[in-house]
Amino acid sequence: MTISRVRIKDEQGAKAMGKPIGYYVTLEVPRLKEKDPDLTEEVSKNLADELERMVEIPRDATVLVVGLGNWNVTPDSLGPKVIEKLIVTRHLIQHMPGQFNTKKGIRPVCALAPGVLGITGIETGDIIRGIVEKVKPHMIIAIDALASRSMERISTTIQIADTGVYPGSGVGNKRMGITRETMGVPVIAIGIPTVVDAATMANDTLDMLIGQFTRQATPGSDFYKLLEELDKDEKHKLIREVMRPFVGELVVTPKEIDALIDNAAKTLAGGLNLALHPGIEYHEVSTFLQ
Amino acid sequence: MTISRVRIKDEQGAKAMGKPIGYYVTLEVPRLKEKDPDLTEEVSKNLADELERMVEIPRDATVLVVGLGNWNVTPDSLGPKVIEKLIVTRHLIQHMPGQFNTKKGIRPVCALAPGVLGITGIETGDIIRGIVEKVKPHMIIAIDALASRSMERISTTIQIADTGVYPGSGVGNKRMGITRETMGVPVIAIGIPTVVDAATMANDTLDMLIGQFTRQATPGSDFYKLLEELDKDEKHKLIREVMRPFVGELVVTPKEIDALIDNAAKTLAGGLNLALHPGIEYHEVSTFLQ
Amino acid sequence: MTISRVRIKDEQGAKAMGKPIGYYVTLEVPRLKEKDPDLTEEVSKNLADELERMVEIPRDATVLVVGLGNWNVTPDSLGPKVIEKLIVTRHLIQHMPGQFNTKKGIRPVCALAPGVLGITGIETGDIIRGIVEKVKPHMIIAIDALASRSMERISTTIQIADTGVYPGSGVGNKRMGITRETMGVPVIAIGIPTVVDAATMANDTLDMLIGQFTRQATPGSDFYKLLEELDKDEKHKLIREVMRPFVGELVVTPKEIDALIDNAAKTLAGGLNLALHPGIEYHEVSTFLQ
Amino acid sequence: MTISRVRIKDEQGAKAMGKPIGYYVTLEVPRLKEKDPDLTEEVSKNLADELERMVEIPRDATVLVVGLGNWNVTPDSLGPKVIEKLIVTRHLIQHMPGQFNTKKGIRPVCALAPGVLGITGIETGDIIRGIVEKVKPHMIIAIDALASRSMERISTTIQIADTGVYPGSGVGNKRMGITRETMGVPVIAIGIPTVVDAATMANDTLDMLIGQFTRQATPGSDFYKLLEELDKDEKHKLIREVMRPFVGELVVTPKEIDALIDNAAKTLAGGLNLALHPGIEYHEVSTFLQ
């Protein structure tokens, strides 16, 4: 497992990286898709550490965890599956403050899997905003399955950022982000790539092939020049055109996607439970992950 | 199929019936648990008629349908399964008012399956109240699986009332109802009994047995008197005491509960789709129920 | 956890116990329905020990595990779910005898979830007999969800016997047993009660009530006599008559039956994996149970 | 919907087509993935017609339907899901020959979802051979999800052939086919492509791109020659090499694979039920498909 941490501090950095200002952590775990209780434990603990590094959460802060995505579409069900495995305590602390005590390292955690726009007819941002106004959490953690831009990342990386998240791509043009600006509280986004869109994958493969051809071509030859001149954007545009009948419908994904999502959900829930309830041992946490 | 309609008009009636003031409709459909597309269609249409009788919904009224209950507990998953099969249109009408036109008999419908307190840590009433404030619906329709007090009703009746609903029975004593009072808009509750709690069932059986014994006993005999004197509440209390180790854990349910819930969800969604979108034919509605 | 072992040696014993000649082991685990990895491990190990006590399995014996029951009916899906979590090795040992070596404590294990008569149209016994003739296993282990005769046993006991099993109760009168006689090899049956039929439960409750009444009734009174005279069979017959419209359809089961079956399957698969592959540590076994 | 029928009569034809001697029918149904009861009915009826054209089945012939594939891997679960929706009658005709009469157009149909080698440890061919010996069917119909060689075919074609089927690609090199030769009775294979393997898809995309480049290149130029000379097999080999870390793991599939498989299973089961039970109307058949 390798961990990379990147902080983009200003607009200049944001431009250079092509990402908003913020703090980004990536856990690369090549064996993430394997069922291995020891690995689940190790990654959970590292995830908890990174969350604690990223943001300071007061001992008695109420945290709202949001599981984005669609229950009924396997590659999209990561968020709701994490919610299922969380140790949710807000209601217990409210009703039995003696027994469930924030001093003992149990924070008031609540959670929601709001569904997707196509099923609810309501902007996900509006649903969460409505709940934020009732629950008044100290922060939001949003979990989502990601469409990766690279085949290598599928279910091998956990991506964390303090920049919030923009759910789905819907009928309207301007989707409401789930960010500190719209929600009024910090929003941490955690995601795992579960699919690559088919056009991206075709593009990646072509790039790898061109790399091979270039190494084999005689420098100075027509072919060499042609390969050098293939403009990146042009090429991607051409691919999209050729694949138009399929793009947006087809995704590239591991065949064992059901098992993979299950495993990834355990790892994320494990890390969240540890980070949010420092008073609970991993041993006890693991009973919630089964 | 038989339909009964009861209106409780005042406190006196409420006392007599042991239910709040309101309008109650019961559709008795003994074959409801059978997979039969014709029956699904017939019941859907009757359900739509009864909904229209019960409450007048303006042509362009936004309706919020709430699917109560827990995805992961089969007998409790009726509400979320109905949500899946609804024709949700609010976002389409907002973004493409030309194409999806309320004048053509398509109302802006939105929907949510908020989950249960044990999974969210938030009172279901608070979640819905938060969304009501954002969406500002004209009315709410709440769907829930019911625990019946009678074995005969399990998956054979559809119960509709304009009195709202009190979700689950939770850790705290005062649960927030989802009613016109708490939500500020009319709340129609629709439910289908899917389980009987085990103590109720023992009690029912005992009553049937006592009925048999009484008919066989000699009037005036000690035994006859004893049976007559068996106070109803005493008896139920005794049963609960005897069954204490199990009560609240065990339920009585058909073994084919998975198939039954699926079928019941189709019927309710069919009825709602017809009632909320009078411009859509049953023929088209049925494609959403599969 | 308590373990009881009973050996019925002759016809006299069989009559007294109301069960065929054979060796019966019961593991009582009141907390079996709880998700607790430590308990799963402990019970798995005890189950493995009891299996080894019950029958000697040569190091290189091929074992066929049969998961009886129906995938699509939750309370009946225990057998198929165990099959999913088994470490199946027969094909690996056949094709890569160097790598997967029976000397290292890995036996050639194969498995099948044949389905139920209503879905296959073939007697389950015939299906298994056909496979036994091809695979020629040294023994069969048959897993099944049981309908308990007692509410207390639901998902709190594991029952093992060397007497084989009679699957389902079907349309025909004479069902083919899966026994040493019909299969030609030893058949170990392992089951966990997951439901009680509703008539049995009514009967149990009535017995408990009668017990209460009897203790309260004056000896010698009419009522006392009546209670004493209530013939057991008569009573059960009466209950069945009263409940006729429901009997056979309704079962009593914990509401969280989905989670319970999942947990029970893990425990059984854990025990089988340990017993059949003595060369694999529990640590490694547990990765197959997730 | 277009239907194509191809008969390969001799070895010469087999060589030319790259397929064994046999009769091949393809139903192209571009909208197959849509939920549309009318389309399901139409395709079911056409499928039934094609089956009847392909093979004559005596009125009282026992038919064994085999659902190949893995329950737990969504893109691979088509076969088992069809089995669930079949009208299985063999046991009813055996036990109640008066009521279920083959003269009325109900054939004795039985079915099995044997699982895959990795879960059973037994060659699927051996399992089916064992059952064939017990049941002695007149013919076998084998259903399987296919890995397509073309993106366009994913869930838009139904492929039928009288050549049998070779399940999975397993650990050993020589897999046992399910064919007339190995089973002793005719074997009809029915499949629907549900995935494309990722290397095939990269290859297809590259071909489309090369087509574009070739049209744009000056005839006679170096580049034109290079493109012409790109040997098909060489290119595919190169792609496989470049993609080696992913090939065999990643598949291309529609994101809504869960709904698609469900819909495809309904259509196939509908067609089989009509073809095998000519005495049952589509109206009644449809109740089994829900």
Side-chain angles (χ1 to χ4, degrees):
Chain A
M1 180 179 1
T2 61
I3 299 177
S4 67
R5 305 180 190 92
V6 173
R7 186 177 302 279
I8 300 178
K9 289 192 176 170
D10 49 27
E11 280 305 329
Q12 202 178 334
K15 243 181 217 166
M17 302 292 289
K19 284 179 176 181
I21 291 169
Y23 182 48
Y24 297 85
V25 176
T26 304
L27 281 78
E28 280 183 51
V29 193
R31 289 173 48 237
L32 184 59
K33 67 183 89 173
E34 293 172 29
K35 288 183 185 175
D36 176 346
D38 288 346
L39 186 65
T40 303
E41 178 170 354
E42 192 196 338
V43 178
S44 290
K45 286 177 176 170
N46 275 285
L47 175 57
D49 286 350
E50 294 304 320
L51 277 171
E52 280 159 22
R53 253 171 195 271
M54 182 173 276
V55 62
E56 203 180 339
I57 322 174
R59 275 240 141 175
D60 57 354
T62 295
V63 177
L64 170 62
V65 183
V66 176
L68 299 168
N70 188 343
W71 269 108
N72 295 311
V73 174
T74 306
D76 212 26
S77 63
L78 178 68
K81 288 225 166 127
V82 169
I83 296 308
E84 261 178 65
K85 296 173 199 299
L86 282 185
I87 304 178
V88 164
T89 51
R90 178 178 169 271
H91 58 312
L92 302 172
I93 290 171
Q94 276 190 340
H95 292 288
M96 297 176 278
Q99 269 189 275
F100 294 86
N101 202 314
T102 60
K103 280 180 198 155
K104 290 177 190 155
I106 298 180
R107 287 200 185 85
V109 169
C110 55
L112 192 85
V116 295
L117 180 61
I119 281 184
T120 63
I122 313 170
E123 281 280 340
T124 302
D126 275 331
I127 295 176
I128 299 174
R129 185 91 188 104
I131 287 155
V132 164
E133 285 168 14
K134 294 290 160 203
V135 170
K136 304 202 185 305
H138 180 267
M139 67 180 287
I140 295 171
I141 296 175
I143 315 292
D144 204 1
L146 305 176
S148 171
R149 303 198 39 182
S150 143
M151 284 188 296
E152 291 171 48
R153 299 212 158 170
I154 293 187
S155 52
T156 60
T157 61
I158 300 175
Q159 301 176 9
I160 322 173
D162 62 3
T163 55
V165 69
Y166 291 78
S169 63
V171 285
N173 283 325
K174 22 168 204 144
R175 304 297 309 276
M176 182 189 194
I178 301 166
T179 61
R180 181 195 278 266
E181 285 69 42
T182 57
M183 297 296 144
V185 297
V187 180
I188 304 288
I190 304 181
I192 292 181
T194 60
V195 297
V196 170
D197 95 81
T200 300
M201 184 233 169
N203 190 58
D204 285 9
T205 313
L206 199 64
D207 280 350
M208 289 190 281
L209 283 169
I210 288 172
Q212 289 270 9
F213 284 143
T214 312
R215 278 190 293 280
Q216 290 165 9
T218 321
S221 74
D222 279 12
F223 183 50
Y224 189 84
K225 281 182 219 150
L226 181 125
L227 291 173
E228 278 191 323
E229 282 160 18
L230 258 182
D231 182 70
K232 213 175 167 178
D233 286 346
E234 274 298 303
K235 184 164 50 70
H236 210 165
K237 204 179 125 199
L238 186 58
I239 290 176
R240 291 213 161 260
E241 208 161 297
V242 168
M243 295 183 67
R244 190 157 12 175
F246 317 108
V247 161
E249 290 187 337
L250 297 179
V251 293
V252 183
T253 197
K255 203 174 170 192
E256 273 77 20
I257 181 74
D258 313 71
L260 183 155
I261 292 281
D262 215 59
N263 210 40
K266 274 177 198 169
T267 306
L268 293 191
L272 287 172
N273 285 334
L274 283 180
L276 299 177
H277 305 303
I280 306 185
E281 299 284 314
Y282 183 78
H283 178 79
E284 291 160 280
V285 161
S286 72
T287 71
F288 284 81
L289 306 183
Q290 301 232 324
Chain B
M1 178 178 4
T2 62
I3 299 177
S4 67
R5 306 181 189 91
V6 173
R7 186 177 302 279
I8 300 178
K9 290 192 175 169
D10 50 27
E11 281 305 330
Q12 203 178 332
K15 245 181 215 164
M17 301 293 288
K19 285 179 177 181
I21 290 170
Y23 182 47
Y24 297 85
V25 176
T26 303
L27 280 79
E28 282 182 50
V29 193
R31 290 174 47 236
L32 184 59
K33 67 183 89 172
E34 294 172 30
K35 287 183 187 175
D36 176 347
D38 288 344
L39 187 65
T40 303
E41 179 170 352
E42 192 195 338
V43 179
S44 290
K45 285 177 175 170
N46 275 285
L47 174 57
D49 286 350
E50 295 303 319
L51 277 170
E52 280 159 23
R53 256 169 193 274
M54 183 173 275
V55 62
E56 203 180 339
I57 322 174
R59 273 238 143 177
D60 58 353
T62 296
V63 177
L64 170 62
V65 183
V66 177
L68 299 168
N70 188 343
W71 270 108
N72 295 310
V73 174
T74 305
D76 212 25
S77 62
L78 179 66
K81 289 224 166 127
V82 169
I83 296 309
E84 260 180 64
K85 296 173 200 300
L86 281 185
I87 304 179
V88 164
T89 50
R90 179 177 169 273
H91 58 309
L92 302 172
I93 290 171
Q94 275 190 341
H95 291 289
M96 296 176 278
Q99 269 188 275
F100 294 86
N101 202 315
T102 61
K103 280 180 196 156
K104 292 178 189 154
I106 298 180
R107 287 199 186 85
V109 168
C110 54
L112 193 85
V116 295
L117 180 61
I119 281 184
T120 62
I122 313 170
E123 280 279 342
T124 302
D126 275 331
I127 294 176
I128 299 173
R129 185 90 187 104
I131 287 155
V132 164
E133 285 170 13
K134 294 289 160 204
V135 170
K136 303 201 186 306
H138 179 267
M139 67 179 289
I140 296 171
I141 296 175
I143 315 292
D144 205 1
L146 306 175
S148 172
R149 303 199 38 186
S150 143
M151 284 188 296
E152 290 171 48
R153 299 212 158 172
I154 292 188
S155 51
T156 60
T157 62
I158 300 175
Q159 300 176 10
I160 322 173
D162 62 3
T163 54
V165 67
Y166 292 78
S169 62
V171 285
N173 283 326
K174 20 164 207 146
R175 303 297 310 277
M176 183 189 194
I178 300 166
T179 61
R180 181 195 279 265
E181 285 68 42
T182 57
M183 298 296 143
V185 296
V187 180
I188 304 288
I190 304 180
I192 292 182
T194 60
V195 298
V196 171
D197 96 80
T200 300
M201 184 231 168
N203 190 58
D204 284 10
T205 313
L206 198 64
D207 280 350
M208 290 190 279
L209 283 171
I210 288 172
Q212 289 270 10
F213 283 144
T214 311
R215 277 190 292 282
Q216 288 164 11
T218 320
S221 74
D222 278 12
F223 182 50
Y224 189 85
K225 280 183 219 150
L226 182 127
L227 291 174
E228 279 192 320
E229 282 161 16
L230 256 182
D231 182 72
K232 215 176 166 178
D233 288 345
E234 273 299 304
K235 186 163 50 68
H236 210 168
K237 204 178 126 199
L238 186 59
I239 288 176
R240 291 213 160 261
E241 209 161 297
V242 167
M243 295 185 67
R244 188 154 16 174
F246 317 108
V247 162
E249 292 187 335
L250 296 179
V251 294
V252 182
T253 197
K255 202 174 170 192
E256 274 76 20
I257 181 73
D258 312 72
L260 184 154
I261 292 281
D262 216 58
N263 211 40
K266 273 176 198 168
T267 307
L268 293 191
L272 287 172
N273 284 334
L274 284 180
L276 299 177
H277 304 303
I280 305 183
E281 299 284 313
Y282 182 78
H283 179 78
E284 291 160 280
V285 161
S286 72
T287 72
F288 284 81
L289 307 182
Q290 302 233 325
Chain C
M1 180 180 0
T2 61
I3 299 176
S4 67
R5 304 179 191 92
V6 173
R7 187 177 300 280
I8 300 179
K9 289 193 177 170
D10 50 27
E11 281 305 327
Q12 206 178 329
K15 245 180 217 166
M17 302 292 289
K19 284 178 176 182
I21 292 170
Y23 182 46
Y24 298 85
V25 176
T26 304
L27 281 79
E28 282 182 49
V29 193
R31 291 174 47 236
L32 184 58
K33 67 183 88 173
E34 295 172 29
K35 286 182 187 178
D36 177 347
D38 288 345
L39 186 66
T40 303
E41 178 170 352
E42 191 195 339
V43 178
S44 289
K45 286 178 176 169
N46 275 284
L47 174 57
D49 287 350
E50 294 303 320
L51 277 171
E52 281 159 21
R53 256 170 194 273
M54 183 174 276
V55 61
E56 203 180 338
I57 322 175
R59 275 237 141 177
D60 59 353
T62 297
V63 177
L64 170 62
V65 183
V66 176
L68 299 168
N70 189 344
W71 269 109
N72 295 311
V73 174
T74 305
D76 212 25
S77 62
L78 179 66
K81 289 224 166 126
V82 169
I83 296 308
E84 260 181 64
K85 295 173 200 299
L86 280 186
I87 304 178
V88 164
T89 51
R90 179 177 169 272
H91 58 310
L92 302 172
I93 290 171
Q94 275 190 340
H95 291 289
M96 296 176 278
Q99 269 188 275
F100 295 84
N101 202 316
T102 61
K103 281 181 196 154
K104 291 177 190 156
I106 298 181
R107 286 199 188 86
V109 168
C110 55
L112 192 85
V116 295
L117 180 60
I119 280 185
T120 63
I122 313 170
E123 281 280 341
T124 303
D126 275 331
I127 295 176
I128 299 174
R129 185 88 188 108
I131 287 155
V132 164
E133 284 169 15
K134 295 288 161 206
V135 170
K136 303 201 184 308
H138 181 267
M139 67 179 290
I140 296 170
I141 296 175
I143 315 293
D144 205 0
L146 305 175
S148 172
R149 303 198 41 183
S150 144
M151 285 188 295
E152 291 171 47
R153 299 214 158 169
I154 292 188
S155 51
T156 59
T157 61
I158 300 175
Q159 300 176 10
I160 322 172
D162 62 3
T163 55
V165 68
Y166 291 79
S169 63
V171 283
N173 283 325
K174 18 162 209 148
R175 303 298 309 275
M176 184 189 191
I178 300 166
T179 61
R180 180 195 281 266
E181 285 68 41
T182 57
M183 297 296 144
V185 297
V187 180
I188 304 288
I190 305 181
I192 292 182
T194 60
V195 297
V196 170
D197 97 80
T200 299
M201 183 233 171
N203 190 58
D204 284 10
T205 313
L206 198 63
D207 280 350
M208 290 190 281
L209 283 170
I210 288 173
Q212 290 270 10
F213 284 143
T214 311
R215 277 190 291 283
Q216 289 164 12
T218 320
S221 75
D222 278 10
F223 183 49
Y224 188 83
K225 280 182 221 151
L226 182 125
L227 290 172
E228 278 191 323
E229 282 161 16
L230 257 182
D231 183 71
K232 213 176 168 179
D233 288 345
E234 274 299 302
K235 185 162 49 68
H236 210 165
K237 204 179 123 197
L238 186 59
I239 289 176
R240 291 211 161 260
E241 211 161 294
V242 167
M243 295 184 68
R244 192 160 8 178
F246 316 108
V247 162
E249 292 187 336
L250 297 179
V251 293
V252 183
T253 197
K255 202 174 170 192
E256 273 78 18
I257 181 74
D258 312 71
L260 183 155
I261 292 281
D262 215 58
N263 210 41
K266 274 177 198 167
T267 307
L268 293 191
L272 286 173
N273 285 334
L274 284 179
L276 299 178
H277 303 305
I280 305 183
E281 299 284 315
Y282 183 77
H283 178 78
E284 292 161 279
V285 161
S286 71
T287 71
F288 285 81
L289 307 183
Q290 301 233 326
Chain D
M1 179 179 0
T2 61
I3 299 178
S4 67
R5 305 179 191 93
V6 173
R7 185 177 302 280
I8 299 179
K9 289 192 176 173
D10 49 28
E11 281 305 329
Q12 204 178 333
K15 245 181 215 165
M17 302 293 288
K19 284 178 177 182
I21 291 169
Y23 182 47
Y24 297 85
V25 176
T26 304
L27 281 78
E28 281 183 52
V29 193
R31 291 174 47 237
L32 185 59
K33 66 184 89 174
E34 294 172 29
K35 287 183 187 176
D36 176 345
D38 288 345
L39 186 65
T40 303
E41 179 171 352
E42 191 194 339
V43 179
S44 290
K45 285 178 177 170
N46 274 285
L47 174 57
D49 286 350
E50 295 303 321
L51 277 171
E52 280 159 22
R53 255 171 195 272
M54 183 174 275
V55 62
E56 203 180 339
I57 323 174
R59 274 239 142 175
D60 58 353
T62 296
V63 177
L64 170 63
V65 183
V66 176
L68 299 168
N70 188 345
W71 269 108
N72 295 311
V73 174
T74 306
D76 211 25
S77 63
L78 178 67
K81 289 224 165 127
V82 169
I83 296 308
E84 261 181 62
K85 296 174 200 300
L86 281 185
I87 304 178
V88 164
T89 50
R90 179 178 167 272
H91 58 310
L92 302 172
I93 290 172
Q94 275 189 340
H95 291 289
M96 296 176 278
Q99 270 189 274
F100 294 86
N101 202 315
T102 60
K103 280 180 198 156
K104 291 176 190 156
I106 298 180
R107 287 200 187 85
V109 169
C110 55
L112 192 84
V116 295
L117 180 61
I119 281 184
T120 62
I122 312 171
E123 280 280 340
T124 303
D126 275 331
I127 295 176
I128 299 174
R129 185 90 188 107
I131 287 155
V132 164
E133 285 169 14
K134 294 289 161 206
V135 169
K136 303 201 186 308
H138 180 265
M139 66 179 290
I140 296 170
I141 296 175
I143 315 292
D144 204 1
L146 305 176
S148 172
R149 301 198 41 182
S150 143
M151 284 187 296
E152 291 171 47
R153 300 214 156 170
I154 293 188
S155 51
T156 60
T157 61
I158 300 176
Q159 300 176 8
I160 322 173
D162 63 2
T163 55
V165 68
Y166 292 78
S169 63
V171 284
N173 282 324
K174 18 162 209 145
R175 303 297 310 277
M176 183 190 191
I178 300 167
T179 62
R180 181 195 278 265
E181 285 68 42
T182 57
M183 297 296 145
V185 297
V187 180
I188 304 287
I190 304 181
I192 292 182
T194 60
V195 297
V196 170
D197 96 81
T200 300
M201 184 231 169
N203 190 57
D204 284 10
T205 313
L206 199 63
D207 280 350
M208 289 189 281
L209 284 169
I210 288 173
Q212 290 269 10
F213 284 142
T214 310
R215 278 191 291 282
Q216 290 164 10
T218 320
S221 74
D222 278 11
F223 182 49
Y224 189 83
K225 281 181 220 152
L226 182 124
L227 291 173
E228 279 192 322
E229 282 160 17
L230 258 182
D231 182 71
K232 213 175 168 180
D233 287 345
E234 274 298 302
K235 183 164 51 69
H236 210 165
K237 204 181 124 198
L238 186 59
I239 289 176
R240 292 213 160 259
E241 210 162 294
V242 168
M243 295 183 69
R244 191 157 11 177
F246 316 107
V247 161
E249 290 187 336
L250 298 178
V251 293
V252 183
T253 197
K255 203 174 170 193
E256 273 77 20
I257 182 73
D258 312 71
L260 183 155
I261 291 281
D262 216 57
N263 210 40
K266 274 178 198 168
T267 306
L268 293 191
L272 286 173
N273 285 333
L274 284 179
L276 299 178
H277 305 304
I280 306 184
E281 299 284 312
Y282 182 78
H283 178 78
E284 292 160 279
V285 161
S286 71
T287 70
F288 285 82
L289 307 183
Q290 302 233 324

